[in-house]
């Protein structure tokens, strides 16, 4: 691309000097020589997902006609075979371990339902996370860590619902809510420590960082909202949830991580808008003072400011 065309593009899209330099550098950067390898790995991951779905559908179609031992053997083989493939072919390691992790969950679910172990749902996910952790650490793949974080967060969510009786929002179970907030902190901090592991480090854990932050932010925002909406609002819990969400937003802003920042701003908007709404509708006469109109303006201003900040950050070259 010629320089006049670059200048035209920079002027048309109002690029900053750093963005214009990055655009000029792209014209001189040769394509990656390892694109066939990356394509092969991507296709292998997709094939593993399709194979796992096909196995699930086939088992579901044939399930009533098969014996209990056959079902158990098929699920055990679906865990063992991908592990063998992952050790035998390093190029298929990510796909094999991804399939083995999913099949492990199906095996544990089958054991729990068939033999009536009496285990709660959170115990299933806890055992699943513990058993999948060794090969997740050894493989040092960002996608596997993201899947492991989803499993761990699901188990933690089920455990919290049992401990706090979250299905009864106005129950006394929410009195112990604030310690639960701190249990989600490792899900946010763990991906940030992956690049610092000596043997199994991950240089850029982008997927796991976004997944871990999203899970933690969702829990903090949910707990914070529930603490306000219960009969006697617990503002201490709300304050702790707000501080944790603010910490994620500040870290994402400092690192220019626009995806995590967007998730953090969504959680922050949910928290503070619920607090504003609680104040307006509990202290003002919404029918006489137009609290609904005022709340609408507050929501529009908050969401608009968040979108404007994200747009500015994106123009500055955030990723």
């Amino acid at each position: 691309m010629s320089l006049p065309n670059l200048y035209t593009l920079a002027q048309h899209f109002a690029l900053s000097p750093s963005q214009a330099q990055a655009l000029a550098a792209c014209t001189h950067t040769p394509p990656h020589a390892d694109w066939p390898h990356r394509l092969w790995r991507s296709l292998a991951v997709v094939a593993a997902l399709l194979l796992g779905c096909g196995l699930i559908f086939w088992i579901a179609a044939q399930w009533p006609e098969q014996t209990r031992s056959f079902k158990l053997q098929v699920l055990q083989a679906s865990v063992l075979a991908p592990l063998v493939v992952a050790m035998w072919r390093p190029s298929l390691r990510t796909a094999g371990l991804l399939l083995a992790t999913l099949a492990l969950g199906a095996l544990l679910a089958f054991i729990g339902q068939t033999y009536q172990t009496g285990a709660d749902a959170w115990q299933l996910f806890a055992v699943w996370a513990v058993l999948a952790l060794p090969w997740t650490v050894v493989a040092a793949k960002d996608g596997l860590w993201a899947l492991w974080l989803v499993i761990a967060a699901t188990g933690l969510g089920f455990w919290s619902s049992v401990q706090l009786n979250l299905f009864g929002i106005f129950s006394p179970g929410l009195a112990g809510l604030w310690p639960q907030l701190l249990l989600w902190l490792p899900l946010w901090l763990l991906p940030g420590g992956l690049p610092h592991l000596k043997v199994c480090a991950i240089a850029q854990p982008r997927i796991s960082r976004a997944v871990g932050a999203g899970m933690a932010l969702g829990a903090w925002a949910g707990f914070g909202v529930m603490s306000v909406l219960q009969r006697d609002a617990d503002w201490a819990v709300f304050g702790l949830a707000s501080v944790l969400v603010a910490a994620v937003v500040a870290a994402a802003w400092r690192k220019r991580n626009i995806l995590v920042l967007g998730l953090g701003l969504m959680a922050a908007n949910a928290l503070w808008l619920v607090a504003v709404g609680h104040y307006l509708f509990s202290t003002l006469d919404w029918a006489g003072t137009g609290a609904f109109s005022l709340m609408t303006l507050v929501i529009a201003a908050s969401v608009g400011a968040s979108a404007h900040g994200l747009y500015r950050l994106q123009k500055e070259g955030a990723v």
Side-chain angles (χ1 to χ4, degrees), residues 294-317:
L294 180 59
M295 190 64 194
T296 302
L297 292 176
V298 172
I299 293 175
S302 177
V303 175
S306 301
H308 179 68
L310 290 174
Y311 178 71
R312 285 186 54 191
L313 195 64
Q314 186 180 22
K315 288 192 65 175
E316 294 175 3

PDB file of all heavy atoms in Angstrom, residues 294-317:
ATOM      1  N   LEU A 294     -36.491  10.127  35.952  1.00  0.00           N
ATOM      2  CA  LEU A 294     -35.146  10.406  36.445  1.00  0.00           C
ATOM      3  C   LEU A 294     -34.258   9.173  36.349  1.00  0.00           C
ATOM      4  O   LEU A 294     -33.083   9.261  35.958  1.00  0.00           O
ATOM      5  CB  LEU A 294     -35.227  10.897  37.888  1.00  0.00           C
ATOM      6  CG  LEU A 294     -33.898  11.246  38.564  1.00  0.00           C
ATOM      7  CD1 LEU A 294     -33.171  12.334  37.782  1.00  0.00           C
ATOM      8  CD2 LEU A 294     -34.129  11.679  40.005  1.00  0.00           C
ATOM      9  N   MET A 295     -34.796   8.003  36.682  1.00  0.00           N
ATOM     10  CA  MET A 295     -34.021   6.770  36.605  1.00  0.00           C
ATOM     11  C   MET A 295     -33.646   6.462  35.165  1.00  0.00           C
ATOM     12  O   MET A 295     -32.539   5.981  34.883  1.00  0.00           O
ATOM     13  CB  MET A 295     -34.837   5.619  37.204  1.00  0.00           C
ATOM     14  CG  MET A 295     -34.043   4.338  37.383  1.00  0.00           C
ATOM     15  SD  MET A 295     -32.706   4.564  38.569  1.00  0.00           S
ATOM     16  CE  MET A 295     -31.725   3.092  38.240  1.00  0.00           C
ATOM     17  N   THR A 296     -34.542   6.737  34.232  1.00  0.00           N
ATOM     18  CA  THR A 296     -34.241   6.520  32.824  1.00  0.00           C
ATOM     19  C   THR A 296     -33.083   7.388  32.363  1.00  0.00           C
ATOM     20  O   THR A 296     -32.179   6.929  31.639  1.00  0.00           O
ATOM     21  CB  THR A 296     -35.485   6.811  31.970  1.00  0.00           C
ATOM     22  OG1 THR A 296     -36.557   5.976  32.390  1.00  0.00           O
ATOM     23  CG2 THR A 296     -35.200   6.569  30.500  1.00  0.00           C
ATOM     24  N   LEU A 297     -33.066   8.640  32.800  1.00  0.00           N
ATOM     25  CA  LEU A 297     -31.968   9.535  32.436  1.00  0.00           C
ATOM     26  C   LEU A 297     -30.651   9.072  33.047  1.00  0.00           C
ATOM     27  O   LEU A 297     -29.599   9.138  32.398  1.00  0.00           O
ATOM     28  CB  LEU A 297     -32.295  10.962  32.899  1.00  0.00           C
ATOM     29  CG  LEU A 297     -33.457  11.664  32.178  1.00  0.00           C
ATOM     30  CD1 LEU A 297     -33.717  13.026  32.807  1.00  0.00           C
ATOM     31  CD2 LEU A 297     -33.153  11.809  30.694  1.00  0.00           C
ATOM     32  N   VAL A 298     -30.695   8.607  34.285  1.00  0.00           N
ATOM     33  CA  VAL A 298     -29.476   8.121  34.939  1.00  0.00           C
ATOM     34  C   VAL A 298     -28.922   6.906  34.210  1.00  0.00           C
ATOM     35  O   VAL A 298     -27.706   6.786  33.973  1.00  0.00           O
ATOM     36  CB  VAL A 298     -29.760   7.797  36.420  1.00  0.00           C
ATOM     37  CG1 VAL A 298     -28.560   7.106  37.053  1.00  0.00           C
ATOM     38  CG2 VAL A 298     -30.093   9.067  37.189  1.00  0.00           C
ATOM     39  N   ILE A 299     -29.803   5.982  33.829  1.00  0.00           N
ATOM     40  CA  ILE A 299     -29.366   4.781  33.104  1.00  0.00           C
ATOM     41  C   ILE A 299     -28.755   5.164  31.759  1.00  0.00           C
ATOM     42  O   ILE A 299     -27.686   4.660  31.371  1.00  0.00           O
ATOM     43  CB  ILE A 299     -30.543   3.817  32.915  1.00  0.00           C
ATOM     44  CG1 ILE A 299     -30.998   3.257  34.257  1.00  0.00           C
ATOM     45  CG2 ILE A 299     -30.161   2.678  31.972  1.00  0.00           C
ATOM     46  CD1 ILE A 299     -32.243   2.392  34.171  1.00  0.00           C
ATOM     47  N   ALA A 300     -29.410   6.069  31.037  1.00  0.00           N
ATOM     48  CA  ALA A 300     -28.893   6.482  29.733  1.00  0.00           C
ATOM     49  C   ALA A 300     -27.531   7.151  29.864  1.00  0.00           C
ATOM     50  O   ALA A 300     -26.615   6.891  29.074  1.00  0.00           O
ATOM     51  CB  ALA A 300     -29.890   7.429  29.063  1.00  0.00           C
ATOM     52  N   ALA A 301     -27.372   8.013  30.875  1.00  0.00           N
ATOM     53  CA  ALA A 301     -26.096   8.700  31.071  1.00  0.00           C
ATOM     54  C   ALA A 301     -24.994   7.718  31.453  1.00  0.00           C
ATOM     55  O   ALA A 301     -23.860   7.810  30.967  1.00  0.00           O
ATOM     56  CB  ALA A 301     -26.245   9.779  32.138  1.00  0.00           C
ATOM     57  N   SER A 302     -25.311   6.766  32.321  1.00  0.00           N
ATOM     58  CA  SER A 302     -24.305   5.809  32.771  1.00  0.00           C
ATOM     59  C   SER A 302     -23.849   4.902  31.635  1.00  0.00           C
ATOM     60  O   SER A 302     -22.648   4.713  31.413  1.00  0.00           O
ATOM     61  CB  SER A 302     -24.873   4.977  33.923  1.00  0.00           C
ATOM     62  OG  SER A 302     -23.948   4.004  34.341  1.00  0.00           O
ATOM     63  N   VAL A 303     -24.800   4.348  30.908  1.00  0.00           N
ATOM     64  CA  VAL A 303     -24.451   3.453  29.801  1.00  0.00           C
ATOM     65  C   VAL A 303     -23.733   4.227  28.695  1.00  0.00           C
ATOM     66  O   VAL A 303     -22.759   3.743  28.099  1.00  0.00           O
ATOM     67  CB  VAL A 303     -25.707   2.759  29.264  1.00  0.00           C
ATOM     68  CG1 VAL A 303     -25.379   1.922  28.038  1.00  0.00           C
ATOM     69  CG2 VAL A 303     -26.329   1.879  30.344  1.00  0.00           C
ATOM     70  N   GLY A 304     -24.192   5.450  28.431  1.00  0.00           N
ATOM     71  CA  GLY A 304     -23.532   6.255  27.409  1.00  0.00           C
ATOM     72  C   GLY A 304     -22.105   6.607  27.766  1.00  0.00           C
ATOM     73  O   GLY A 304     -21.208   6.560  26.916  1.00  0.00           O
ATOM     74  N   ALA A 305     -21.866   6.956  29.030  1.00  0.00           N
ATOM     75  CA  ALA A 305     -20.499   7.262  29.458  1.00  0.00           C
ATOM     76  C   ALA A 305     -19.596   6.043  29.369  1.00  0.00           C
ATOM     77  O   ALA A 305     -18.426   6.142  28.972  1.00  0.00           O
ATOM     78  CB  ALA A 305     -20.518   7.812  30.888  1.00  0.00           C
ATOM     79  N   SER A 306     -20.130   4.874  29.726  1.00  0.00           N
ATOM     80  CA  SER A 306     -19.333   3.646  29.632  1.00  0.00           C
ATOM     81  C   SER A 306     -18.978   3.337  28.184  1.00  0.00           C
ATOM     82  O   SER A 306     -17.828   2.998  27.868  1.00  0.00           O
ATOM     83  CB  SER A 306     -20.099   2.480  30.252  1.00  0.00           C
ATOM     84  OG  SER A 306     -20.402   2.719  31.607  1.00  0.00           O
ATOM     85  N   ALA A 307     -19.962   3.453  27.291  1.00  0.00           N
ATOM     86  CA  ALA A 307     -19.698   3.183  25.875  1.00  0.00           C
ATOM     87  C   ALA A 307     -18.701   4.180  25.301  1.00  0.00           C
ATOM     88  O   ALA A 307     -17.828   3.814  24.497  1.00  0.00           O
ATOM     89  CB  ALA A 307     -21.015   3.222  25.093  1.00  0.00           C
ATOM     90  N   HIS A 308     -18.805   5.448  25.714  1.00  0.00           N
ATOM     91  CA  HIS A 308     -17.869   6.456  25.219  1.00  0.00           C
ATOM     92  C   HIS A 308     -16.449   6.157  25.682  1.00  0.00           C
ATOM     93  O   HIS A 308     -15.485   6.298  24.906  1.00  0.00           O
ATOM     94  CB  HIS A 308     -18.309   7.834  25.705  1.00  0.00           C
ATOM     95  CG  HIS A 308     -17.394   8.946  25.268  1.00  0.00           C
ATOM     96  ND1 HIS A 308     -17.276   9.337  23.951  1.00  0.00           N
ATOM     97  CD2 HIS A 308     -16.525   9.738  25.981  1.00  0.00           C
ATOM     98  CE1 HIS A 308     -16.386  10.313  23.859  1.00  0.00           C
ATOM     99  NE2 HIS A 308     -15.928  10.576  25.072  1.00  0.00           N
ATOM    100  N   GLY A 309     -16.306   5.740  26.937  1.00  0.00           N
ATOM    101  CA  GLY A 309     -14.971   5.392  27.425  1.00  0.00           C
ATOM    102  C   GLY A 309     -14.373   4.210  26.694  1.00  0.00           C
ATOM    103  O   GLY A 309     -13.180   4.205  26.371  1.00  0.00           O
ATOM    104  N   LEU A 310     -15.188   3.190  26.426  1.00  0.00           N
ATOM    105  CA  LEU A 310     -14.690   2.030  25.683  1.00  0.00           C
ATOM    106  C   LEU A 310     -14.302   2.413  24.264  1.00  0.00           C
ATOM    107  O   LEU A 310     -13.304   1.914  23.715  1.00  0.00           O
ATOM    108  CB  LEU A 310     -15.750   0.933  25.670  1.00  0.00           C
ATOM    109  CG  LEU A 310     -16.033   0.225  26.998  1.00  0.00           C
ATOM    110  CD1 LEU A 310     -17.206  -0.723  26.850  1.00  0.00           C
ATOM    111  CD2 LEU A 310     -14.803  -0.525  27.471  1.00  0.00           C
ATOM    112  N   TYR A 311     -15.093   3.282  23.643  1.00  0.00           N
ATOM    113  CA  TYR A 311     -14.781   3.706  22.284  1.00  0.00           C
ATOM    114  C   TYR A 311     -13.457   4.475  22.229  1.00  0.00           C
ATOM    115  O   TYR A 311     -12.630   4.274  21.332  1.00  0.00           O
ATOM    116  CB  TYR A 311     -15.923   4.573  21.748  1.00  0.00           C
ATOM    117  CG  TYR A 311     -15.678   5.115  20.362  1.00  0.00           C
ATOM    118  CD1 TYR A 311     -15.707   4.281  19.254  1.00  0.00           C
ATOM    119  CD2 TYR A 311     -15.405   6.465  20.164  1.00  0.00           C
ATOM    120  CE1 TYR A 311     -15.480   4.765  17.981  1.00  0.00           C
ATOM    121  CE2 TYR A 311     -15.176   6.960  18.894  1.00  0.00           C
ATOM    122  CZ  TYR A 311     -15.221   6.107  17.799  1.00  0.00           C
ATOM    123  OH  TYR A 311     -14.987   6.602  16.545  1.00  0.00           O
ATOM    124  N   ARG A 312     -13.251   5.367  23.193  1.00  0.00           N
ATOM    125  CA  ARG A 312     -11.985   6.100  23.240  1.00  0.00           C
ATOM    126  C   ARG A 312     -10.804   5.174  23.447  1.00  0.00           C
ATOM    127  O   ARG A 312      -9.749   5.320  22.805  1.00  0.00           O
ATOM    128  CB  ARG A 312     -12.033   7.119  24.378  1.00  0.00           C
ATOM    129  CG  ARG A 312     -12.881   8.350  24.093  1.00  0.00           C
ATOM    130  CD  ARG A 312     -12.736   9.346  25.205  1.00  0.00           C
ATOM    131  NE  ARG A 312     -11.334   9.675  25.448  1.00  0.00           N
ATOM    132  CZ  ARG A 312     -10.901  10.373  26.507  1.00  0.00           C
ATOM    133  NH1 ARG A 312     -11.766  10.792  27.423  1.00  0.00           N
ATOM    134  NH2 ARG A 312      -9.627  10.654  26.633  1.00  0.00           N
ATOM    135  N   LEU A 313     -10.974   4.194  24.310  1.00  0.00           N
ATOM    136  CA  LEU A 313      -9.894   3.246  24.566  1.00  0.00           C
ATOM    137  C   LEU A 313      -9.591   2.408  23.333  1.00  0.00           C
ATOM    138  O   LEU A 313      -8.432   2.116  23.026  1.00  0.00           O
ATOM    139  CB  LEU A 313     -10.267   2.348  25.736  1.00  0.00           C
ATOM    140  CG  LEU A 313      -9.138   1.538  26.380  1.00  0.00           C
ATOM    141  CD1 LEU A 313      -8.121   2.488  27.007  1.00  0.00           C
ATOM    142  CD2 LEU A 313      -9.673   0.588  27.432  1.00  0.00           C
ATOM    143  N   GLN A 314     -10.629   2.040  22.587  1.00  0.00           N
ATOM    144  CA  GLN A 314     -10.415   1.281  21.364  1.00  0.00           C
ATOM    145  C   GLN A 314      -9.684   2.115  20.309  1.00  0.00           C
ATOM    146  O   GLN A 314      -8.826   1.589  19.579  1.00  0.00           O
ATOM    147  CB  GLN A 314     -11.761   0.787  20.823  1.00  0.00           C
ATOM    148  CG  GLN A 314     -11.627  -0.143  19.620  1.00  0.00           C
ATOM    149  CD  GLN A 314     -12.962  -0.600  19.115  1.00  0.00           C
ATOM    150  OE1 GLN A 314     -13.983   0.043  19.360  1.00  0.00           O
ATOM    151  NE2 GLN A 314     -13.010  -1.720  18.416  1.00  0.00           N
ATOM    152  N   LYS A 315     -10.002   3.385  20.229  1.00  0.00           N
ATOM    153  CA  LYS A 315      -9.304   4.233  19.266  1.00  0.00           C
ATOM    154  C   LYS A 315      -7.825   4.392  19.609  1.00  0.00           C
ATOM    155  O   LYS A 315      -7.001   4.641  18.736  1.00  0.00           O
ATOM    156  CB  LYS A 315      -9.968   5.603  19.220  1.00  0.00           C
ATOM    157  CG  LYS A 315     -11.328   5.625  18.532  1.00  0.00           C
ATOM    158  CD  LYS A 315     -11.795   7.036  18.258  1.00  0.00           C
ATOM    159  CE  LYS A 315     -10.873   7.727  17.264  1.00  0.00           C
ATOM    160  NZ  LYS A 315     -11.364   9.081  16.890  1.00  0.00           N
ATOM    161  N   GLU A 316      -7.506   4.263  20.878  1.00  0.00           N
ATOM    162  CA  GLU A 316      -6.116   4.367  21.301  1.00  0.00           C
ATOM    163  C   GLU A 316      -5.320   3.084  21.070  1.00  0.00           C
ATOM    164  O   GLU A 316      -4.133   3.020  21.389  1.00  0.00           O
ATOM    165  CB  GLU A 316      -6.043   4.740  22.775  1.00  0.00           C
ATOM    166  CG  GLU A 316      -6.589   6.145  23.076  1.00  0.00           C
ATOM    167  CD  GLU A 316      -6.623   6.440  24.558  1.00  0.00           C
ATOM    168  OE1 GLU A 316      -6.174   5.565  25.343  1.00  0.00           O
ATOM    169  OE2 GLU A 316      -7.088   7.519  24.954  1.00  0.00           O
ATOM    170  N   GLY A 317      -5.995   2.067  20.555  1.00  0.00           N
ATOM    171  CA  GLY A 317      -5.288   0.835  20.213  1.00  0.00           C
ATOM    172  C   GLY A 317      -5.362  -0.224  21.267  1.00  0.00           C
ATOM    173  O   GLY A 317      -4.530  -1.146  21.271  1.00  0.00           O
TER     174      GLY A 317
END
